[in-house]
Amino acid sequence: MNAGQNHYTPQPYDPYGADDEDGSWFNSEGQPAAYQQQYQGQYQGQYQEQQQYQGQQQYTPGIPEQRHSDQPTYALRTVEQVPVEPAYTIPETPDAGWDDTPSRRRSWVSRGVLLFVLAIQAVLSLRLSNSAFQDEALYLAAGHNIIDHLMNGAPLDSDYASYFSGSPMLYPVAAAGVDGYFGLSGARLLSLLCMLGATSLLYSFTRRMFNERVALVAAALFAVTQPTIVLGWFATYDAPAIFLLALAAWIVVRTNRAPAVAVLLAAPVMVLAVAVKYASALYVPTLIVLAALTAWHHRGWRSLLRAALLTVGTGVLAGVGLMYTNVLAGVKQTTTNRAHGTEAARDLLEKSGEWGGLMFATACAGAYFYARRGRMNESPRSYGLHGPGWRWRTLLGLLLTGTALLAPAYQVHLQTSVSLYKHLDFGLLFAAPMAGIGVIRLVGKHFRYPQLGILIWVSALCLGVSQSEWRFGLWPDSAPLVKAIEPYMKPKGKYLGATYEVPVYYLRDKTEHSQWTSTYGIGYADKKGVVHHGNEGYRLALKDGYFDLVVLDGIATPEFDKYLERQVRASGHYRLVGEIPFKLSSGGKGTYKIWTKTS
């Protein structure tokens, strides 16, 4: 072997000259990395002898060792171990994507996004179109009658307080006042303003409890649910009641650091919400417990005094209201002692899941994640870093999420789905903050998985759009009917109709509530003064030609309408003057049938 073969110098491009783990050109034995591979076959025996020799002589890595005289010597290059400073060091990534230091820019951006959410909510509600629903017509017509009674001393057509689900002196009067100037669209616009206000207040108190991102997501989810969209263009008690509950929640959360007596500002708002719609009382305990929880990390056990003050203040005001009004009968008939239906609990739970299940499931996920870790990913200085422990977080999650179960539980108790979709929105208002946390946690730090948040919101949007459109088409367009019966209205005429509230509302200048008899009950006094009820009462009234006009639609009471039609034909006093077909969004079809008295 010549000298060139006895001295091997690795080259930068030589594959045998790659750095080892220590960053040198030598292998673990202190030899060139190429040596053992290129000359392994030729010097394998010599290498084994070298290993035995190393046991007798101290070996220093990186320094050429003394070999036997019969072994070739190699000139080994020593590489100095010099630490190399990297040209760029990646800084440690914080847990947060932004800073929560007060910022005017972030506040304006957040408000801009909120306005965009409100615009979407408004458009989704405004796109709905149909004539007045039976409940809308009833409340608005009653409001006009009450205003006429207060202004001109006109008699009341009915004892509204005995069967209305809210005080007839509040929403019906306010909505009728707007309706008098702007019509049905004006009354519905009042509901839209209330629902937009509820969404804004939801954003505000959620932001106070958590942060902007959670608040925006909560508002965005609440704005596109079916109940929110429908109630935003529906002239009933529900929209103002939800707004008042949202306002009470905002006051409770906003005054968590103020003196305890400041929470009493929420008491009159809570009582007013219950007065507007009696079912709102179901959510008063939630607000009282929330008053204690939101102040706990500032006052400790003294926060219970805050809840006690709110309880006493609300109770006193409610007692005064019951003492000086006559709404107790309505409370019993429409709320506490309401008649039970026959629907199965399974069907009611399926409907609840269909109309609000997605948002509730997201809220459950948010409550779970929040109980596990209070830290909000969005900011390293967010309150969750040093806030209350897991017990407090668990209680808050259970309170807000569990409130969404109150309406389904109440409806299951009543065994009816009447107004279920409207009552769901009351609970979803409180569950929305936890749903916001659920989406934020799924998206992760630095918007790691934004597709998950987009998927949830788009799914909620699609469900809300389709379900609200379906909901607004469940009753027939009554405009052709009103036009057809208007010529037959008489000052002292007597009429029979299934949903007579609609023509009474539209033709209130030509007819009034007292002229109509519904298909739900009758008390007919014959010529001898004997009062007849039920089927017999309707049969005798039609036989005697008591009604001047009979209007049936086959929807509200389909089987009974068939019975009435047979009695109308058998009486010989009526002739059919019109048949108006209609279609429903549920796929059903029907026909308005109008009979007028011939003699």
Side-chain angles (χ1 to χ4, degrees):
M1 182 179 297
N2 55 31
Q5 293 175 326
N6 292 340
H7 297 278
Y8 177 79
T9 300
Q11 300 298 324
Y13 53 83
D14 195 331
Y16 298 108
D19 292 344
D20 67 349
E21 295 179 356
D22 296 329
S24 66
W25 290 101
F26 304 98
N27 59 23
S28 59
E29 303 300 335
Q31 298 176 350
Y35 171 82
Q36 188 172 355
Q37 300 179 17
Q38 184 173 357
Y39 301 101
Q40 183 175 4
Q42 183 177 359
Y43 295 106
Q44 183 174 6
Q46 297 174 354
Y47 179 74
Q48 294 176 352
E49 293 179 3
Q50 177 184 350
Q51 294 293 96
Q52 297 176 359
Y53 180 75
Q54 288 176 353
Q56 301 174 1
Q57 183 176 355
Q58 186 177 2
Y59 170 71
T60 303
I63 300 178
E65 53 188 292
Q66 184 69 34
R67 303 179 184 276
H68 295 288
S69 58
D70 56 343
Q71 292 180 336
T73 60
Y74 300 89
L76 301 180
R77 181 168 63 89
T78 302
V79 179
E80 185 178 359
Q81 301 281 341
V82 179
V84 179
E85 291 293 334
Y88 175 75
T89 303
I90 300 177
E92 182 180 355
T93 305
D95 251 356
W98 56 282
D99 190 356
D100 68 346
T101 303
S103 167
R104 180 176 298 180
R105 175 178 175 271
R106 193 179 70 250
S107 297
W108 281 109
V109 169
S110 180
R111 292 167 185 168
V113 176
L114 176 62
L115 288 176
F116 180 70
V117 170
L118 295 177
I120 293 176
Q121 178 182 341
V123 169
L124 293 178
S125 293
L126 290 171
R127 69 183 235 288
L128 302 175
S129 177
N130 201 346
S131 60
F133 182 62
Q134 181 179 1
D135 290 350
E136 292 180 293
L138 173 62
Y139 299 147
L140 293 175
H144 285 291
N145 183 216
I146 294 173
I147 292 175
D148 193 24
H149 170 72
L150 296 175
M151 300 294 292
N152 306 316
L156 292 176
D157 294 333
S158 177
D159 184 12
Y160 303 114
S162 64
Y163 64 95
F164 272 22
S165 57
S167 173
M169 300 301 295
L170 295 175
Y171 174 75
V173 172
V178 176
D179 176 76
Y181 289 98
F182 304 103
L184 178 62
S185 297
R188 287 176 169 175
L189 184 61
L190 177 62
S191 295
L192 178 60
L193 294 177
C194 288
M195 294 307 298
L196 293 175
T199 303
S200 301
L201 290 168
L202 166 64
Y203 163 82
S204 183
F205 70 72
T206 303
R207 177 178 177 271
R208 174 82 173 183
M209 288 194 295
F210 304 106
N211 55 50
E212 283 92 345
R213 289 190 182 180
V214 176
L216 288 173
V217 174
L221 287 175
F222 180 75
V224 298
T225 59
Q226 180 213 166
T228 301
I229 297 173
V230 173
L231 294 180
W233 201 241
F234 204 59
T236 59
Y237 295 111
D238 303 273
I242 291 175
F243 170 76
L244 290 171
L245 286 176
L247 179 59
W250 180 83
I251 294 173
V252 165
V253 175
R254 189 66 180 84
T255 59
N256 63 338
R257 300 183 186 182
V261 294
V263 78
L264 291 175
L265 294 173
V269 179
M270 293 164 59
V271 173
L272 185 59
V274 175
V276 169
K277 185 177 177 74
Y278 304 140
S280 302
L282 199 63
Y283 303 93
V284 169
T286 296
L287 292 169
I288 292 174
V289 177
L290 187 65
L293 286 178
T294 52
W296 180 267
H297 45 270
H298 301 297
R299 302 180 179 278
W301 290 103
R302 290 179 298 172
S303 62
L304 298 180
L305 173 63
R306 191 167 181 259
L309 286 173
L310 184 58
T311 303
V312 173
T314 304
V316 170
L317 291 176
V320 172
L322 292 175
M323 185 180 301
Y324 290 97
T325 61
N326 58 343
V327 300
L328 189 58
V331 173
K332 292 180 179 179
Q333 182 170 340
T334 64
T335 307
T336 57
N337 297 332
R338 185 172 178 173
H340 288 224
T342 58
E343 296 186 57
R346 179 178 179 179
D347 295 337
L348 295 173
L349 293 177
E350 287 180 355
K351 291 178 180 178
S352 300
E354 180 182 356
W355 299 334
L358 177 60
M359 188 169 177
F360 177 72
T362 308
C364 289
Y368 171 77
F369 291 140
Y370 187 60
R372 292 268 312 218
R373 180 168 60 88
R375 180 170 183 168
M376 295 288 101
N377 285 334
E378 292 80 0
S379 173
R381 287 194 292 273
S382 62
Y383 178 74
L385 284 174
H386 307 292
W390 66 270
R391 293 180 180 87
W392 183 92
R393 300 195 304 270
T394 301
L395 287 175
L396 183 63
L398 289 175
L399 174 69
L400 298 179
T401 306
T403 302
L405 297 175
L406 295 179
Y410 177 63
Q411 300 282 158
V412 168
H413 168 69
L414 295 178
Q415 296 179 292
T416 179
S417 61
V418 176
S419 299
L420 172 60
Y421 80 97
K422 296 188 293 183
H423 294 164
L424 285 174
D425 216 35
F426 288 72
L428 294 179
L429 173 72
F430 292 94
M434 283 297 144
I437 292 180
V439 172
I440 290 298
R441 292 292 171 84
L442 289 175
V443 170
K445 310 171 188 176
H446 307 285
F447 295 98
R448 181 173 298 176
Y449 306 109
Q451 65 273 19
L452 297 180
I454 295 173
L455 175 63
I456 293 174
W457 188 79
V458 171
S459 299
L461 174 64
C462 293
L463 288 174
V465 169
S466 60
Q467 291 175 356
S468 61
E469 187 173 357
W470 168 81
R471 173 69 59 185
F472 234 68
L474 287 179
W475 66 91
D477 182 5
S478 59
L481 170 67
V482 172
K483 184 178 181 180
I485 67 174
E486 184 177 5
Y488 300 98
M489 296 293 100
K490 302 176 182 179
K492 296 183 179 180
K494 299 295 181 181
Y495 315 118
L496 173 65
T499 55
Y500 66 86
E501 296 87 353
V502 176
V504 168
Y505 164 69
Y506 282 110
L507 302 174
R508 58 182 176 272
D509 294 333
K510 298 183 178 182
T511 184
E512 57 187 26
H513 181 278
S514 59
Q515 293 181 269
W516 289 80
T517 299
S518 75
T519 57
Y520 292 98
I522 189 175
Y524 173 66
D526 60 18
K527 297 178 181 179
K528 297 180 180 180
V530 180
V531 179
H532 302 271
H533 301 280
N535 290 11
E536 184 66 10
Y538 287 104
R539 186 185 70 81
L540 291 175
L542 292 170
K543 181 180 178 181
D544 295 342
Y546 174 74
F547 301 110
D548 296 295
L549 193 72
V550 177
V551 181
L552 302 177
D553 57 17
I555 298 178
T557 53
E559 295 301 323
F560 190 59
D561 280 11
K562 295 178 181 179
Y563 169 80
L564 291 177
E565 184 174 348
R566 291 195 299 268
Q567 300 305 317
V568 168
R569 296 182 184 279
S571 69
H573 293 294
Y574 300 93
R575 65 182 178 89
L576 185 67
V577 295
E579 289 185 334
I580 304 174
F582 57 81
K583 295 181 180 180
L584 304 178
S585 60
S586 59
K589 298 180 180 179
T591 303
Y592 282 117
K593 295 183 179 181
I594 307 169
W595 287 272
T596 184
K597 188 176 178 180
T598 58
S599 60

